[in-house]
Amino acid sequence: MLRIAVCDDESHMLDDLSARISDCLDALGCREFRLARFSGGGALLEAGEDFDLVLLDIQMPPPDGLETAKALRRRGDGCLVVFLTVLRERVFDAFEVEAFDYLVKPLDPARLRRTLERVLEALDRRRARTLLIQRGTAREVVPLDEIVYCEVLGRKIYLHRQDGGVLDYYDKLADLERRLGSGFFRCHRSYLVNLDHVRGCGGGQVRLSGGGAVPVSRLREGDLTQALLRRMRERGG
């Protein structure tokens, strides 16, 4: 389900943009989406919902579109942001909040369609770089680049994240290894490391970003070096 928020203080623009987005997504074959409408940045922020895509008019009563986007980023929201405005010169402000695109009013239908095509492609790539885990009756999506290493203790997997947090759930390390793919390496029977977070190896340990370390089996040190070289080539390093 694609979750979209449209925010504009002019009701006729809100109606027009919402209709155009719905028509474009239908034409692009995207049938599962939910579109929420907001007449101001404050209402969007107060809603407290998570959206995949947020389209923001820049010129609105406080908080304007730019301030609203900054507030979303401050609370850690990684949604794609597309700005709408009649002022071309505000395009440079969009860089502050890592905006995905910048559309000038009146909207060009072809440009809006291209933007939505790119949004769908970007979200597909983002989902491909995530891990879906089951924790009891709840499901949680974890971006792979946030996982520093994975550890198994008993029947539980512990995902050690870049922010220092740890997620635990029931799984087998061998099954997790298959799901994670070539970006992770089984350095020890109880550990998988994210190769993008490896900072060195020696003394029977793999040094990781953030100063942490996990054990590496002596027989696996050479394989780890080869895996790191392959990863560098994959990244174009």
Side-chain angles (χ1 to χ4, degrees):
M1 173 70 72
L2 176 62
R3 300 159 300 173
I4 305 168
V6 182
C7 188
D8 198 305
D9 63 321
E10 297 183 52
S11 59
H12 69 282
M13 286 299 301
L14 199 56
D15 292 339
D16 180 65
L17 183 57
S18 299
R20 290 192 189 207
I21 290 171
S22 296
D23 289 344
C24 275
L25 290 176
D26 283 337
L28 292 170
C30 179
R31 298 288 184 264
E32 294 188 1
F33 63 89
R34 182 174 67 83
L35 199 152
R37 299 151 48 105
F38 298 93
S39 58
L44 170 61
L45 294 172
E46 288 171 9
E49 294 184 56
D50 292 326
F51 294 101
D52 300 300
L53 170 65
V54 175
L55 295 100
L56 286 167
D57 182 23
I58 289 186
Q59 290 181 288
M60 295 188 294
D64 66 14
L66 187 62
E67 290 303 319
T68 301
K70 287 180 178 178
L72 289 171
R73 294 298 188 236
R74 280 195 298 269
R75 71 187 192 192
D77 197 315
C79 63
L80 301 182
V81 172
V82 173
F83 283 123
L84 312 165
T85 183
V86 296
L87 302 174
R88 293 179 182 272
E89 59 269 23
R90 297 296 299 272
V91 66
F92 296 104
D93 296 329
F95 288 103
E96 294 184 45
V97 291
E98 301 175 4
F100 184 79
D101 208 345
Y102 185 96
L103 301 178
V104 177
K105 296 179 180 178
L107 294 178
D108 175 11
R111 177 69 192 280
L112 176 62
R113 181 188 173 102
R114 287 196 300 272
T115 295
L116 291 175
E117 284 179 322
R118 291 174 51 238
V119 163
L120 294 177
E121 291 170 359
L123 291 173
D124 282 343
R125 290 194 299 271
R126 180 180 288 186
R127 293 186 186 106
R129 297 194 299 268
T130 60
L131 175 69
L132 178 65
I133 63 173
Q134 186 84 34
R135 304 183 75 204
T137 58
R139 290 186 174 185
E140 189 157 348
V141 177
V142 184
L144 296 188
D145 57 4
E146 292 183 5
I147 302 173
V148 180
Y149 69 95
C150 314
E151 177 183 16
V152 62
L153 290 172
R155 295 173 52 231
K156 270 192 173 184
I157 297 287
Y158 294 81
L159 304 179
H160 295 259
R161 303 177 68 165
Q162 195 172 15
D163 62 4
V166 180
L167 285 176
D168 62 275
Y169 70 106
Y170 290 99
D171 199 0
K172 295 178 180 178
L173 198 62
D175 292 340
L176 176 60
E177 183 179 9
R178 284 191 290 271
R179 293 176 64 195
L180 291 175
S182 62
F184 286 74
F185 180 79
R186 183 97 171 245
C187 61
H188 183 276
R189 65 182 182 181
S190 300
Y191 292 91
L192 283 166
V193 293
N194 185 337
L195 293 170
D196 292 338
H197 286 284
V198 172
R199 297 296 179 262
C201 179
Q205 289 194 316
V206 180
R207 297 189 301 278
L208 302 167
S209 62
V214 298
V216 57
S217 302
R218 181 175 57 84
L219 297 176
R220 302 237 66 194
E221 289 186 4
D223 292 336
L224 173 59
T225 300
Q226 293 303 312
L228 286 168
L229 290 172
R230 284 195 301 271
R231 186 62 177 166
M232 288 176 65
R233 287 194 292 268
E234 289 172 5
R235 294 197 308 257

